[in-house]
Structure formats: structure tokens, C-alpha cells
Amino acid sequence: MFTPASYALPVNTLWVLSLTLSLISAFFAIAVQQWLRQLRLPPDMPVRRAVQLLSFRNDSLQAWQVPSIISLLPLLLQIAVILFLVGLFILLQSLN
């Protein structure tokens, strides 16, 4: 009967969490980037209408907490790297 090493479960758990956080932050970064690219103003729009539209879009971005989401993405990546390194440290300690 196969029994995994005692370090296998914590290492795999940390690495799966790291991968999950990395993928989540990549997904949201791409989604926000694509969304913001589509917010460009048409070049032939009158200035008054453009200002109104920009104000409306800014209010919508604030209501959807987009700046907060964007500011969390680097934090998610940093946590993912830390989890990966902790898992690597546990693996290397067990091999010693």
C-alpha cells in the first residue's frame, strides 16, 4: 500500500494554493485590461458629451470597486510567491 511522505500533503497544498492565486490574479488582470481598453472615447464625440461619459464611467468604476480590485492583484501575486517558496522550503528541508 502506498503511503505518501509526511511532507507531501503540506507541500502540494501550498503549491496548489499558490497556483490558484496566480491564476486568479492573471484572470482579473486580463479582464480589467480588456475592460479598460473598451472604454476609449470615439474621436468624433463632442467635448460636453465626452466629459459626461467619462464622469459616468468613473462613477461606475468606483461603484464596482475596480481600483480596489486592481490594487489587490500585486498582493495576490506576492502571497502566491510566498506560498510557493514556503512549500519549496519544506520540500528541501525534508530532503536533507
Side-chain angles (χ1 to χ4, degrees):
M1 182 173 176
F2 173 75
T3 56
S6 62
Y7 63 86
L9 183 64
V11 167
N12 287 329
T13 302
L14 289 169
W15 284 354
V16 166
L17 284 173
S18 173
L19 178 63
T20 303
L21 289 177
S22 297
L23 290 175
I24 287 171
S25 80
F27 170 77
F28 279 111
I30 291 170
V32 167
Q33 184 181 23
Q34 287 178 346
W35 188 37
L36 291 176
R37 273 194 192 144
Q38 292 181 352
L39 292 180
R40 291 188 181 152
L41 295 174
D44 58 345
M45 182 178 283
V47 176
R48 183 178 180 94
R49 177 71 179 133
V51 170
Q52 289 174 342
L53 186 58
L54 285 174
S55 176
F56 174 73
R57 287 179 177 173
N58 185 40
D59 293 343
S60 298
L61 289 174
Q62 297 298 327
W64 280 87
Q65 302 292 322
V66 173
S68 300
I69 292 171
I70 292 173
S71 66
L72 283 178
L73 296 179
L75 181 64
L76 283 178
L77 280 177
Q78 290 171 357
I79 292 171
V81 169
I82 289 170
L83 290 174
F84 178 81
L85 291 176
V86 168
L88 184 63
F89 179 76
I90 292 171
L91 177 66
L92 293 175
Q93 285 287 14
S94 66
L95 295 178
N96 187 2

Coordinates of all heavy atoms in Angstrom, one line a residue:
M1 N 0.8 -1.2 0.0 CA 0.0 0.0 0.0 C 0.9 1.2 0.0 O 1.8 1.3 0.8 CB -0.9 0.0 1.2 CG -1.9 1.1 1.3 SD -3.0 0.9 2.6 CE -3.9 2.3 2.6
F2 N 0.5 2.2 -0.8 CA 1.3 3.4 -1.0 C 0.9 4.4 0.1 O -0.2 4.7 0.4 CB 1.0 4.0 -2.3 CG 1.6 5.4 -2.5 CD1 3.0 5.5 -2.7 CD2 0.9 6.5 -2.4 CE1 3.6 6.8 -2.8 CE2 1.5 7.8 -2.5 CZ 2.8 7.9 -2.7
T3 N 1.9 4.9 0.8 CA 1.7 6.0 1.8 C 2.7 7.1 1.4 O 3.9 7.0 1.3 CB 2.1 5.5 3.2 OG1 3.4 5.0 3.2 CG2 1.1 4.4 3.7
P4 N 2.1 8.3 1.2 CA 2.9 9.4 0.8 C 3.8 9.9 2.0 O 3.5 9.7 3.1 CB 1.9 10.5 0.4 CG 0.7 10.1 1.1 CD 0.7 8.6 1.2
A5 N 4.8 10.6 1.6 CA 5.7 11.1 2.7 C 5.0 12.2 3.5 O 4.0 12.8 3.0 CB 7.0 11.7 2.0
S6 N 5.4 12.4 4.7 CA 4.7 13.3 5.6 C 4.7 14.8 5.0 O 3.8 15.5 5.4 CB 5.3 13.3 7.0 OG 6.7 13.7 6.9
Y7 N 5.7 15.1 4.2 CA 5.8 16.5 3.7 C 5.0 16.7 2.5 O 4.8 17.8 2.0 CB 7.2 16.9 3.5 CG 7.9 16.0 2.4 CD1 7.8 16.3 1.1 CD2 8.6 14.9 2.8 CE1 8.4 15.5 0.1 CE2 9.2 14.1 1.8 CZ 9.1 14.4 0.5 OH 9.7 13.6 -0.5
A8 N 4.5 15.6 1.8 CA 3.8 15.7 0.5 C 2.5 16.5 0.6 O 2.3 17.4 -0.3 CB 3.6 14.3 0.0
L9 N 1.7 16.3 1.6 CA 0.4 17.0 1.7 C 0.6 18.5 1.9 O 0.0 19.3 1.2 CB -0.4 16.4 2.8 CG -1.8 17.0 2.9 CD1 -2.6 16.8 1.7 CD2 -2.5 16.4 4.1
P10 N 1.4 18.9 2.9 CA 1.6 20.4 3.0 C 2.2 21.1 1.8 O 1.8 22.2 1.4 CB 2.5 20.6 4.2 CG 2.7 19.3 4.9 CD 2.1 18.2 4.0
V11 N 3.2 20.4 1.2 CA 3.9 21.0 0.0 C 2.9 21.1 -1.1 O 2.8 22.2 -1.8 CB 5.1 20.2 -0.4 CG1 5.6 20.6 -1.8 CG2 6.2 20.3 0.6
N12 N 2.1 20.1 -1.4 CA 1.2 20.1 -2.5 C 0.1 21.1 -2.2 O -0.4 21.8 -3.1 CB 0.6 18.7 -2.8 CG 1.6 17.8 -3.4 OD1 2.4 18.3 -4.2 ND2 1.5 16.5 -3.2
T13 N -0.4 21.2 -1.0 CA -1.4 22.2 -0.6 C -0.9 23.6 -0.9 O -1.6 24.4 -1.5 CB -1.8 22.0 0.8 OG1 -2.3 20.7 1.0 CG2 -2.9 23.0 1.2
L14 N 0.3 23.9 -0.4 CA 0.8 25.2 -0.6 C 1.0 25.5 -2.1 O 0.7 26.7 -2.6 CB 2.2 25.4 0.1 CG 2.1 25.4 1.6 CD1 3.5 25.3 2.2 CD2 1.4 26.7 2.1
W15 N 1.5 24.6 -2.9 CA 1.7 24.8 -4.3 C 0.4 25.0 -5.1 O 0.3 25.8 -6.0 CB 2.6 23.7 -4.9 CG 4.0 23.9 -4.5 CD1 4.6 24.9 -3.8 CD2 5.1 22.9 -4.8 NE1 5.9 24.7 -3.7 CE2 6.2 23.5 -4.3 CE3 5.1 21.7 -5.4 CZ2 7.5 22.9 -4.3 CZ3 6.4 21.1 -5.5 CH2 7.5 21.7 -5.0
V16 N -0.6 24.2 -4.7 CA -1.9 24.4 -5.3 C -2.5 25.7 -5.0 O -3.1 26.4 -5.9 CB -2.9 23.2 -5.0 CG1 -4.3 23.5 -5.4 CG2 -2.4 21.9 -5.6
L17 N -2.4 26.2 -3.8 CA -2.9 27.5 -3.4 C -2.1 28.6 -4.1 O -2.7 29.6 -4.6 CB -2.8 27.7 -1.9 CG -3.8 27.0 -1.0 CD1 -3.4 27.2 0.5 CD2 -5.2 27.5 -1.2
S18 N -0.8 28.4 -4.3 CA 0.0 29.4 -5.0 C -0.5 29.4 -6.5 O -0.6 30.5 -7.0 CB 1.5 29.0 -4.9 OG 2.2 29.8 -5.7
L19 N -0.7 28.3 -7.1 CA -1.1 28.3 -8.5 C -2.5 28.9 -8.6 O -2.7 29.7 -9.5 CB -1.1 26.8 -9.0 CG -1.6 26.6 -10.4 CD1 -0.7 27.3 -11.4 CD2 -1.7 25.2 -10.7
T20 N -3.4 28.6 -7.7 CA -4.7 29.2 -7.7 C -4.7 30.7 -7.6 O -5.4 31.4 -8.4 CB -5.6 28.6 -6.6 OG1 -5.6 27.1 -6.7 CG2 -7.0 29.1 -6.7
L21 N -3.9 31.2 -6.7 CA -3.9 32.7 -6.5 C -3.2 33.3 -7.7 O -3.7 34.4 -8.2 CB -3.1 33.0 -5.3 CG -3.8 32.7 -3.9 CD1 -2.8 33.1 -2.8 CD2 -5.1 33.5 -3.8
S22 N -2.2 32.7 -8.3 CA -1.6 33.2 -9.5 C -2.6 33.3 -10.7 O -2.7 34.3 -11.4 CB -0.4 32.4 -9.9 OG 0.6 32.4 -8.9
L23 N -3.3 32.2 -10.9 CA -4.3 32.2 -12.0 C -5.4 33.2 -11.7 O -5.9 33.8 -12.7 CB -4.9 30.8 -12.1 CG -3.9 29.7 -12.7 CD1 -4.5 28.3 -12.7 CD2 -3.4 30.1 -14.0
I24 N -5.9 33.3 -10.5 CA -6.9 34.3 -10.2 C -6.5 35.7 -10.5 O -7.2 36.5 -11.2 CB -7.4 34.2 -8.7 CG1 -8.2 32.9 -8.6 CG2 -8.2 35.4 -8.3 CD1 -8.6 32.6 -7.1
S25 N -5.2 36.0 -10.1 CA -4.8 37.4 -10.4 C -4.5 37.6 -11.8 O -4.8 38.7 -12.4 CB -3.5 37.7 -9.5 OG -2.4 37.1 -10.1
A26 N -4.0 36.6 -12.6 CA -3.9 36.8 -14.0 C -5.2 37.0 -14.7 O -5.3 37.8 -15.6 CB -3.2 35.5 -14.6
F27 N -6.2 36.2 -14.3 CA -7.5 36.3 -14.9 C -8.1 37.7 -14.7 O -8.6 38.3 -15.6 CB -8.5 35.3 -14.3 CG -9.9 35.5 -14.7 CD1 -10.4 35.1 -15.9 CD2 -10.8 36.1 -13.8 CE1 -11.7 35.4 -16.3 CE2 -12.1 36.3 -14.1 CZ -12.6 35.9 -15.4
F28 N -8.0 38.2 -13.5 CA -8.6 39.6 -13.2 C -7.8 40.7 -13.9 O -8.3 41.7 -14.3 CB -8.7 39.8 -11.7 CG -9.9 39.2 -11.1 CD1 -9.9 38.1 -10.3 CD2 -11.2 39.7 -11.5 CE1 -11.0 37.6 -9.7 CE2 -12.3 39.1 -10.9 CZ -12.3 38.1 -10.1
A29 N -6.5 40.5 -14.0 CA -5.6 41.5 -14.6 C -6.0 41.6 -16.1 O -6.1 42.7 -16.7 CB -4.2 41.1 -14.5
I30 N -6.2 40.4 -16.8 CA -6.6 40.4 -18.2 C -8.0 41.0 -18.4 O -8.2 41.7 -19.3 CB -6.4 39.0 -18.7 CG1 -5.0 38.6 -18.8 CG2 -7.1 38.9 -20.1 CD1 -4.7 37.1 -19.2
A31 N -8.9 40.6 -17.5 CA -10.3 41.1 -17.6 C -10.3 42.6 -17.4 O -11.0 43.3 -18.2 CB -11.2 40.4 -16.6
V32 N -9.7 43.1 -16.4 CA -9.7 44.5 -16.2 C -9.0 45.3 -17.4 O -9.5 46.3 -17.8 CB -9.0 44.9 -14.9 CG1 -8.7 46.4 -14.7 CG2 -9.8 44.4 -13.7
Q33 N -7.9 44.7 -17.9 CA -7.2 45.4 -19.0 C -8.1 45.4 -20.2 O -8.2 46.4 -20.9 CB -5.9 44.6 -19.3 CG -5.1 45.3 -20.4 CD -3.9 44.5 -20.7 OE1 -3.8 43.3 -20.4 NE2 -2.9 45.2 -21.3
Q34 N -8.8 44.3 -20.5 CA -9.7 44.3 -21.7 C -10.9 45.3 -21.5 O -11.3 45.9 -22.4 CB -10.2 42.9 -21.9 CG -9.2 42.0 -22.5 CD -9.7 40.6 -22.7 OE1 -10.7 40.2 -22.2 NE2 -8.9 39.8 -23.5
W35 N -11.4 45.3 -20.3 CA -12.5 46.2 -20.0 C -12.1 47.6 -20.1 O -12.8 48.4 -20.7 CB -13.0 45.9 -18.6 CG -14.3 46.6 -18.2 CD1 -15.3 46.8 -19.0 CD2 -14.6 47.1 -17.0 NE1 -16.3 47.5 -18.3 CE2 -15.9 47.7 -17.1 CE3 -14.0 47.2 -15.7 CZ2 -16.6 48.3 -16.0 CZ3 -14.6 47.8 -14.7 CH2 -15.9 48.3 -14.8
L36 N -10.9 48.0 -19.6 CA -10.5 49.4 -19.7 C -10.1 49.8 -21.2 O -10.3 50.9 -21.6 CB -9.3 49.6 -18.8 CG -9.6 49.6 -17.3 CD1 -8.3 49.7 -16.5 CD2 -10.6 50.6 -16.9
R37 N -9.7 48.8 -22.0 CA -9.4 49.1 -23.4 C -10.7 49.5 -24.1 O -10.7 50.2 -25.1 CB -8.8 47.9 -24.1 CG -7.3 47.9 -23.9 CD -6.7 47.0 -24.9 NE -5.3 46.8 -24.5 CZ -4.6 45.7 -24.6 NH1 -5.2 44.6 -25.1 NH2 -3.4 45.6 -24.3
Q38 N -11.8 48.9 -23.7 CA -13.1 49.2 -24.4 C -13.7 50.5 -24.0 O -14.7 50.9 -24.5 CB -14.0 48.0 -24.2 CG -13.6 46.8 -24.9 CD -14.6 45.6 -24.7 OE1 -15.5 45.7 -23.9 NE2 -14.4 44.5 -25.4
L39 N -13.1 51.2 -23.0 CA -13.7 52.4 -22.5 C -13.2 53.6 -23.3 O -13.4 54.8 -22.8 CB -13.3 52.6 -21.0 CG -14.0 51.6 -20.1 CD1 -13.6 51.9 -18.6 CD2 -15.5 51.6 -20.2
R40 N -12.5 53.4 -24.4 CA -12.0 54.6 -25.1 C -13.2 55.4 -25.7 O -14.2 54.8 -26.1 CB -11.1 54.1 -26.3 CG -9.8 53.5 -25.7 CD -8.9 53.2 -26.9 NE -7.6 52.7 -26.3 CZ -6.9 51.9 -27.0 NH1 -7.1 51.5 -28.2 NH2 -5.8 51.4 -26.4
L41 N -12.9 56.7 -25.8 CA -14.0 57.5 -26.4 C -13.8 57.6 -27.9 O -12.7 57.6 -28.4 CB -13.8 59.0 -25.8 CG -14.0 59.1 -24.3 CD1 -13.7 60.5 -23.8 CD2 -15.5 58.7 -23.9
P42 N -15.0 57.7 -28.6 CA -14.9 57.9 -30.0 C -14.3 59.3 -30.3 O -14.5 60.3 -29.6 CB -16.3 57.9 -30.5 CG -17.1 57.3 -29.3 CD -16.3 57.5 -28.1
P43 N -13.5 59.4 -31.4 CA -12.8 60.7 -31.6 C -13.7 61.8 -32.1 O -13.4 62.9 -31.9 CB -11.8 60.3 -32.7 CG -12.3 59.0 -33.3 CD -13.1 58.3 -32.3
D44 N -14.9 61.4 -32.6 CA -15.8 62.5 -33.1 C -16.8 62.9 -32.1 O -17.8 63.6 -32.4 CB -16.5 62.0 -34.4 CG -17.2 60.7 -34.2 OD1 -17.0 60.0 -33.1 OD2 -18.1 60.3 -35.0
M45 N -16.7 62.5 -30.8 CA -17.7 62.8 -29.8 C -17.5 64.3 -29.4 O -16.3 64.7 -29.1 CB -17.5 61.9 -28.6 CG -18.5 62.1 -27.5 SD -18.4 60.9 -26.2 CE -19.1 59.5 -26.9
P46 N -18.6 65.0 -29.2 CA -18.4 66.4 -28.7 C -17.8 66.4 -27.3 O -18.0 65.4 -26.5 CB -19.9 66.9 -28.7 CG -20.7 66.0 -29.5 CD -19.9 64.7 -29.5
V47 N -17.2 67.5 -26.9 CA -16.5 67.6 -25.7 C -17.4 67.4 -24.5 O -17.1 66.7 -23.5 CB -15.7 68.9 -25.6 CG1 -15.0 69.0 -24.2 CG2 -14.6 68.9 -26.7
R48 N -18.5 68.1 -24.5 CA -19.5 68.1 -23.4 C -20.0 66.6 -23.2 O -20.0 66.2 -22.1 CB -20.7 69.0 -23.7 CG -21.7 69.0 -22.6 CD -22.8 70.0 -23.0 NE -23.8 70.1 -21.9 CZ -23.8 71.0 -20.9 NH1 -22.8 71.9 -20.9 NH2 -24.7 71.0 -20.0
R49 N -20.3 65.9 -24.3 CA -20.8 64.5 -24.1 C -19.6 63.6 -23.6 O -19.8 62.7 -22.8 CB -21.3 64.1 -25.5 CG -21.7 62.6 -25.5 CD -23.0 62.4 -24.8 NE -23.4 61.0 -24.9 CZ -23.7 60.3 -23.8 NH1 -23.8 60.8 -22.6 NH2 -24.1 59.0 -24.0
A50 N -18.4 63.9 -24.1 CA -17.3 63.1 -23.7 C -17.0 63.3 -22.2 O -16.7 62.3 -21.5 CB -16.0 63.5 -24.4
V51 N -17.1 64.5 -21.7 CA -17.0 64.7 -20.2 C -18.0 64.0 -19.4 O -17.8 63.4 -18.4 CB -16.9 66.2 -19.9 CG1 -17.0 66.5 -18.4 CG2 -15.7 66.9 -20.5
Q52 N -19.3 64.1 -19.9 CA -20.4 63.4 -19.2 C -20.1 61.9 -19.2 O -20.3 61.2 -18.2 CB -21.7 63.7 -19.9 CG -22.2 65.1 -19.7 CD -23.4 65.4 -20.6 OE1 -23.7 64.6 -21.5 NE2 -24.1 66.4 -20.2
L53 N -19.7 61.3 -20.3 CA -19.4 59.9 -20.4 C -18.3 59.5 -19.5 O -18.4 58.5 -18.8 CB -19.2 59.5 -21.8 CG -19.0 58.0 -22.1 CD1 -20.3 57.3 -21.7 CD2 -18.7 57.8 -23.6
L54 N -17.2 60.3 -19.5 CA -16.1 60.0 -18.6 C -16.5 60.0 -17.1 O -16.1 59.2 -16.3 CB -14.9 61.0 -18.8 CG -14.1 60.7 -20.1 CD1 -13.1 61.9 -20.3 CD2 -13.5 59.4 -20.1
S55 N -17.3 61.0 -16.7 CA -17.8 61.1 -15.4 C -18.7 59.9 -15.0 O -18.5 59.3 -13.9 CB -18.6 62.4 -15.2 OG -19.2 62.4 -13.9
F56 N -19.6 59.5 -15.9 CA -20.4 58.3 -15.7 C -19.5 57.1 -15.5 O -19.8 56.2 -14.6 CB -21.4 58.2 -16.8 CG -22.2 56.9 -16.8 CD1 -23.2 56.8 -15.8 CD2 -21.9 55.9 -17.6 CE1 -23.9 55.6 -15.8 CE2 -22.7 54.7 -17.6 CZ -23.7 54.6 -16.6
R57 N -18.6 56.9 -16.4 CA -17.7 55.7 -16.3 C -16.9 55.7 -15.0 O -16.7 54.7 -14.4 CB -16.8 55.7 -17.5 CG -17.5 55.3 -18.8 CD -16.5 55.3 -20.0 NE -17.2 54.9 -21.2 CZ -16.7 54.9 -22.4 NH1 -15.4 55.4 -22.5 NH2 -17.3 54.5 -23.4
N58 N -16.4 56.9 -14.6 CA -15.6 57.0 -13.4 C -16.5 56.6 -12.2 O -16.1 55.9 -11.3 CB -15.1 58.4 -13.2 CG -14.2 58.5 -12.0 OD1 -13.4 57.5 -11.7 ND2 -14.3 59.6 -11.2
D59 N -17.7 57.1 -12.2 CA -18.7 56.7 -11.1 C -18.9 55.2 -11.1 O -19.0 54.6 -10.0 CB -20.0 57.5 -11.2 CG -19.8 58.9 -11.0 OD1 -18.8 59.4 -10.4 OD2 -20.7 59.7 -11.4
S60 N -19.1 54.6 -12.3 CA -19.3 53.2 -12.4 C -18.1 52.4 -11.9 O -18.2 51.4 -11.2 CB -19.6 52.8 -13.8 OG -20.8 53.4 -14.2
L61 N -16.9 52.8 -12.3 CA -15.7 52.1 -11.8 C -15.6 52.2 -10.3 O -15.2 51.2 -9.7 CB -14.4 52.8 -12.4 CG -14.2 52.5 -13.9 CD1 -13.0 53.3 -14.4 CD2 -14.0 51.1 -14.2
Q62 N -15.9 53.3 -9.7 CA -15.9 53.4 -8.3 C -16.9 52.5 -7.6 O -16.7 51.9 -6.6 CB -16.1 54.9 -7.8 CG -15.0 55.8 -8.3 CD -13.6 55.5 -7.7 OE1 -13.5 55.0 -6.6 NE2 -12.6 55.7 -8.5
A63 N -18.1 52.5 -8.2 CA -19.2 51.7 -7.6 C -18.9 50.2 -7.7 O -19.2 49.4 -6.8 CB -20.5 51.9 -8.4
W64 N -18.2 49.7 -8.7 CA -17.8 48.3 -8.9 C -16.5 48.0 -8.2 O -16.0 46.9 -8.3 CB -17.7 48.0 -10.3 CG -19.0 47.7 -11.0 CD1 -19.8 48.6 -11.5 CD2 -19.6 46.5 -11.1 NE1 -21.0 48.0 -12.0 CE2 -20.9 46.7 -11.7 CE3 -19.3 45.2 -10.7 CZ2 -21.8 45.6 -12.0 CZ3 -20.2 44.1 -11.0 CH2 -21.4 44.4 -11.6
Q65 N -15.9 49.0 -7.4 CA -14.7 48.8 -6.7 C -13.5 48.3 -7.5 O -12.6 47.6 -7.1 CB -14.9 47.7 -5.6 CG -16.0 48.1 -4.6 CD -15.6 49.2 -3.7 OE1 -14.5 49.4 -3.3 NE2 -16.6 50.1 -3.4
V66 N -13.4 48.8 -8.8 CA -12.4 48.4 -9.7 C -11.0 48.9 -9.2 O -10.0 48.1 -9.2 CB -12.6 48.9 -11.1 CG1 -11.5 48.7 -12.0 CG2 -13.9 48.3 -11.7
P67 N -10.8 50.1 -8.7 CA -9.5 50.4 -8.1 C -9.0 49.5 -7.0 O -7.9 49.2 -6.9 CB -9.7 51.9 -7.6 CG -10.8 52.4 -8.5 CD -11.7 51.2 -8.7
S68 N -10.0 49.1 -6.2 CA -9.6 48.1 -5.1 C -9.2 46.8 -5.6 O -8.2 46.2 -5.2 CB -10.8 48.0 -4.1 OG -11.1 49.2 -3.6
I69 N -9.9 46.3 -6.7 CA -9.5 45.0 -7.3 C -8.2 45.1 -7.9 O -7.3 44.2 -7.7 CB -10.6 44.6 -8.3 CG1 -11.9 44.3 -7.6 CG2 -10.1 43.4 -9.1 CD1 -13.1 44.1 -8.6
I70 N -7.9 46.2 -8.6 CA -6.6 46.4 -9.3 C -5.5 46.4 -8.2 O -4.4 45.9 -8.5 CB -6.6 47.6 -10.2 CG1 -7.6 47.4 -11.3 CG2 -5.2 47.9 -10.7 CD1 -7.8 48.6 -12.2
S71 N -5.7 47.1 -7.1 CA -4.7 47.2 -6.1 C -4.4 45.9 -5.4 O -3.3 45.7 -4.8 CB -5.0 48.3 -5.1 OG -6.1 48.0 -4.4
L72 N -5.4 45.0 -5.4 CA -5.2 43.7 -4.8 C -4.4 42.7 -5.6 O -3.9 41.7 -5.1 CB -6.5 43.1 -4.4 CG -7.3 43.6 -3.2 CD1 -8.6 43.0 -3.0 CD2 -6.4 43.5 -2.0
L73 N -4.3 42.9 -6.9 CA -3.7 41.9 -7.8 C -2.2 41.7 -7.5 O -1.7 40.6 -7.4 CB -3.9 42.4 -9.2 CG -5.3 42.3 -9.7 CD1 -5.4 42.8 -11.2 CD2 -5.9 41.0 -9.6
P74 N -1.4 42.8 -7.2 CA 0.0 42.5 -6.9 C 0.1 41.8 -5.5 O 1.0 41.0 -5.3 CB 0.6 43.9 -6.8 CG -0.2 44.8 -7.6 CD -1.6 44.2 -7.5
L75 N -0.8 42.1 -4.6 CA -0.8 41.5 -3.3 C -1.0 40.0 -3.5 O -0.4 39.1 -2.8 CB -1.8 42.1 -2.4 CG -1.9 41.5 -1.0 CD1 -0.6 41.8 -0.2 CD2 -3.0 42.1 -0.2
L76 N -2.0 39.6 -4.3 CA -2.3 38.2 -4.6 C -1.0 37.5 -5.1 O -0.7 36.4 -4.8 CB -3.4 38.0 -5.5 CG -4.8 38.2 -5.0 CD1 -5.9 38.1 -6.1 CD2 -5.1 37.2 -3.9
L77 N -0.4 38.1 -6.1 CA 0.9 37.5 -6.6 C 2.0 37.4 -5.6 O 2.7 36.4 -5.6 CB 1.3 38.3 -7.8 CG 0.6 38.1 -9.1 CD1 1.2 39.1 -10.2 CD2 0.7 36.7 -9.6
Q78 N 2.1 38.3 -4.7 CA 3.1 38.2 -3.7 C 2.8 37.1 -2.7 O 3.7 36.4 -2.3 CB 3.2 39.6 -2.9 CG 3.9 40.7 -3.8 CD 3.8 42.0 -3.1 OE1 3.2 42.2 -2.0 NE2 4.4 43.0 -3.8
I79 N 1.5 37.0 -2.4 CA 1.1 35.9 -1.5 C 1.4 34.5 -2.2 O 1.9 33.6 -1.6 CB -0.3 36.0 -1.1 CG1 -0.5 37.2 -0.1 CG2 -0.8 34.7 -0.4 CD1 -1.9 37.6 0.2
A80 N 1.1 34.4 -3.5 CA 1.3 33.2 -4.2 C 2.8 32.9 -4.2 O 3.2 31.7 -4.1 CB 0.8 33.4 -5.7
V81 N 3.7 33.8 -4.4 CA 5.1 33.6 -4.4 C 5.6 33.1 -3.1 O 6.4 32.2 -2.9 CB 5.9 34.8 -4.9 CG1 7.4 34.7 -4.6 CG2 5.6 35.1 -6.4
I82 N 5.1 33.7 -2.0 CA 5.5 33.3 -0.6 C 5.0 31.9 -0.4 O 5.8 31.1 0.2 CB 4.9 34.3 0.4 CG1 5.6 35.7 0.3 CG2 5.0 33.8 1.8 CD1 5.0 36.8 1.1
L83 N 3.8 31.6 -0.7 CA 3.3 30.2 -0.5 C 4.2 29.2 -1.3 O 4.5 28.1 -0.8 CB 1.8 30.1 -1.0 CG 0.8 30.8 -0.1 CD1 -0.6 30.7 -0.7 CD2 0.8 30.2 1.3
F84 N 4.5 29.5 -2.5 CA 5.4 28.6 -3.3 C 6.7 28.4 -2.6 O 7.2 27.3 -2.5 CB 5.6 29.2 -4.7 CG 6.5 28.3 -5.6 CD1 6.0 27.2 -6.1 CD2 7.8 28.6 -5.7 CE1 6.8 26.4 -6.9 CE2 8.6 27.9 -6.5 CZ 8.2 26.7 -7.1
L85 N 7.3 29.5 -2.2 CA 8.6 29.4 -1.5 C 8.6 28.7 -0.2 O 9.5 27.9 0.1 CB 9.2 30.8 -1.3 CG 9.6 31.6 -2.6 CD1 10.1 33.0 -2.3 CD2 10.7 30.8 -3.4
V86 N 7.5 28.8 0.5 CA 7.4 28.1 1.8 C 7.3 26.6 1.5 O 7.9 25.7 2.1 CB 6.1 28.6 2.6 CG1 5.8 27.6 3.7 CG2 6.4 30.0 3.1
G87 N 6.5 26.2 0.4 CA 6.4 24.8 0.0 C 7.7 24.3 -0.4 O 8.1 23.2 -0.1
L88 N 8.5 25.1 -1.2 CA 9.8 24.7 -1.6 C 10.7 24.5 -0.5 O 11.5 23.5 -0.4 CB 10.4 25.7 -2.6 CG 11.7 25.4 -3.2 CD1 11.6 24.2 -4.1 CD2 12.2 26.6 -4.1
F89 N 10.7 25.4 0.5 CA 11.5 25.3 1.7 C 11.2 24.0 2.5 O 12.1 23.3 2.9 CB 11.3 26.5 2.6 CG 12.1 26.4 3.9 CD1 13.4 26.7 3.9 CD2 11.5 26.1 5.1 CE1 14.2 26.7 5.1 CE2 12.2 26.1 6.3 CZ 13.5 26.4 6.2
I90 N 9.9 23.7 2.6 CA 9.5 22.4 3.3 C 10.0 21.2 2.6 O 10.6 20.3 3.2 CB 8.0 22.4 3.5 CG1 7.5 23.4 4.5 CG2 7.5 21.0 4.0 CD1 6.0 23.6 4.5
L91 N 9.9 21.2 1.2 CA 10.4 20.1 0.4 C 11.9 20.0 0.6 O 12.4 18.8 0.8 CB 10.0 20.4 -1.0 CG 10.5 19.3 -2.0 CD1 9.9 18.0 -1.8 CD2 10.3 19.8 -3.4
L92 N 12.6 21.1 0.5 CA 14.1 21.0 0.6 C 14.5 20.6 2.0 O 15.5 19.8 2.1 CB 14.7 22.3 0.2 CG 14.6 22.7 -1.3 CD1 15.2 24.0 -1.5 CD2 15.2 21.6 -2.2
Q93 N 13.8 21.0 3.0 CA 14.1 20.6 4.4 C 13.9 19.1 4.6 O 14.7 18.4 5.3 CB 13.3 21.3 5.4 CG 13.7 22.8 5.6 CD 15.0 22.9 6.4 OE1 15.7 21.9 6.6 NE2 15.3 24.1 6.9
S94 N 12.9 18.5 3.9 CA 12.6 17.1 4.1 C 13.6 16.3 3.3 O 13.8 15.1 3.7 CB 11.2 16.8 3.7 OG 11.1 17.0 2.3
L95 N 14.2 16.8 2.3 CA 15.2 16.0 1.5 C 16.5 16.0 2.2 O 17.4 15.1 1.8 CB 15.3 16.6 0.1 CG 14.0 16.5 -0.8 CD1 14.3 17.2 -2.1 CD2 13.6 15.1 -1.0
N96 N 16.8 16.9 3.1 CA 18.0 16.9 3.8 C 18.2 15.8 4.7 O 17.8 15.3 5.5 CB 18.2 18.2 4.5 CG 19.6 18.4 5.1 OD1 20.4 17.6 4.9 ND2 19.8 19.5 5.8

